[in-house]
Amino acid sequence: MPPGKFVTFEGIEGAGKTTHLDHLCRYLDERGFHYLLTREPGGTAFGEEIRVVLLHPSGAPRHPMGELLLYLADRVQHLDQVIRPALAQGIHVLCDRYHDATRAYQGFARGVAPELIDRLASLLEILTPDLTVVFEVDVMLGLQRARKRNRRDGQEMQGRFEKEDPEFHGKVLEGYRALARQEPGRFRFVDTHGDFQEAQNRVRSIVESFLRN
Ligand code: T5A
């Protein structure tokens, strides 16, 4: 049986990843695709515990390296327990954020040296996705959407990264663009400024054709 394909979804805060993934999964279900939807941080019981620590908005200040190592601890567990076994069984894995988030947030925005992140990733045998879809939105619009969503969902407090200033998120977005320039074959960008359905149609077409071929 051929291994499953590994597709990751990335973007800045409020770009619409989670909402688009929700719609995409319903579309794939209707077409009988066999896939697993997961996320980072999280995706395993241990990962969900790490997630609470990582995203706590008022947690103690932390060294960027400590934060990096926690994201990697989550990823190693996730790869071992969920992602690799599913791919080996021929199941496609769709993951809401993954290692490119580490490279963009901890690397480009927090300033951890990219070579160090790459060395650790290589030592830990962090798998490279087959396809990465990046949702693009203007930083201020993304933050507005994320804050509106938090109010709607009764989360009055902003998340740890939503509290960062727009300059930080601008660096994250630039980081994703720089990563795509390094590996143009793996990345696809979806503009989410305009009509939701138009963007959703583009996501469906990218992912469906990739999974079928
Ligand atoms: N992180 C993560 C790292 O720093 N390093 C890492 O290695 C990893 C893996 C995760 C945080 O951790 C950081 C990055 C993140 O800050 P999270 O809560 O899991 O935190 O973050 P996300 O799920 O990524 O949530 P986001 O806040 O980024 O939002 P999404 O998923 O991009 O956006 P979504 O779908 O929730 O939409 C936001 C709102 O906008 C509305 C939607 O209805 C929703 O209410 N909306 C639109 N959405 C899409 N398109 C449109 N046209 C819309 N108009 C309104």
Side-chain angles (χ1 to χ4, degrees):
M1 180 198 310
K5 291 180 178 168
F6 184 24
V7 184
T8 58
F9 298 83
E10 301 279 359
I12 60 165
E13 313 298 304
K17 292 173 306 301
T18 311
T19 312
H20 274 292
L21 262 171
D22 186 40
H23 285 248
L24 173 69
C25 287
R26 273 183 264 152
Y27 176 83
L28 295 176
D29 288 342
E30 284 162 11
R31 276 148 193 82
F33 279 94
H34 201 28
Y35 69 90
L36 175 88
L37 173 66
T38 185
R39 69 169 179 180
E40 288 195 2
T44 63
F46 180 52
E48 291 299 327
E49 288 175 14
I50 297 177
R51 180 182 173 91
V52 173
V53 175
L54 276 169
L55 301 187
H56 198 288
S58 54
R62 56 187 63 151
H63 193 284
M65 272 303 287
E67 183 178 83
L68 167 69
L69 293 173
L70 281 180
Y71 277 109
L72 292 176
D74 168 56
R75 190 155 303 132
V76 167
Q77 182 82 24
H78 196 200
L79 276 165
D80 182 62
Q81 206 180 319
V82 175
I83 299 174
R84 283 200 165 94
L87 295 174
Q89 289 170 51
I91 300 169
H92 303 309
V93 175
L94 310 186
C95 192
D96 188 344
R97 291 198 185 279
Y98 181 69
H99 190 61
D100 292 306
T102 300
R103 300 166 86 199
Y105 280 77
Q106 280 66 53
F108 283 88
R110 284 264 196 261
V112 178
E115 308 76 49
L116 178 64
I117 297 179
D118 290 348
R119 253 171 59 208
L120 287 169
S122 157
L123 280 170
L124 297 171
E125 300 181 349
I126 300 295
L127 194 63
T128 302
D130 299 306
L131 172 72
T132 296
V133 179
V134 180
F135 291 91
E136 270 201 300
V137 73
D138 167 74
V139 167
M140 295 312 292
L141 179 58
L143 287 173
Q144 249 176 41
R145 283 180 185 169
R147 286 172 187 149
K148 199 166 151 198
R149 175 205 54 207
N150 292 353
R151 280 198 301 276
R152 187 194 65 208
D153 297 350
Q155 293 171 253
E156 284 309 321
M157 276 194 304
Q158 295 181 65
R160 191 165 195 97
F161 286 93
E162 282 148 23
K163 284 195 331 198
E164 295 287 349
D165 59 29
E167 198 191 333
F168 176 91
H169 295 288
K171 286 183 190 166
V172 174
L173 186 55
E174 263 318 302
Y176 282 124
R177 289 180 181 145
L179 294 173
R181 283 194 293 276
Q182 290 167 22
E183 287 176 83
R186 174 161 70 88
F187 284 84
R188 301 284 181 282
F189 282 77
V190 174
D191 186 323
T192 70
H193 291 91
D195 182 59
F196 179 87
Q197 195 53 47
E198 250 178 56
Q200 174 62 200
N201 290 345
R202 176 156 162 73
V203 181
R204 289 177 182 178
S205 137
I206 292 169
V207 175
E208 184 177 12
S209 62
F210 185 76
L211 295 183
R212 284 202 192 282
N213 292 317

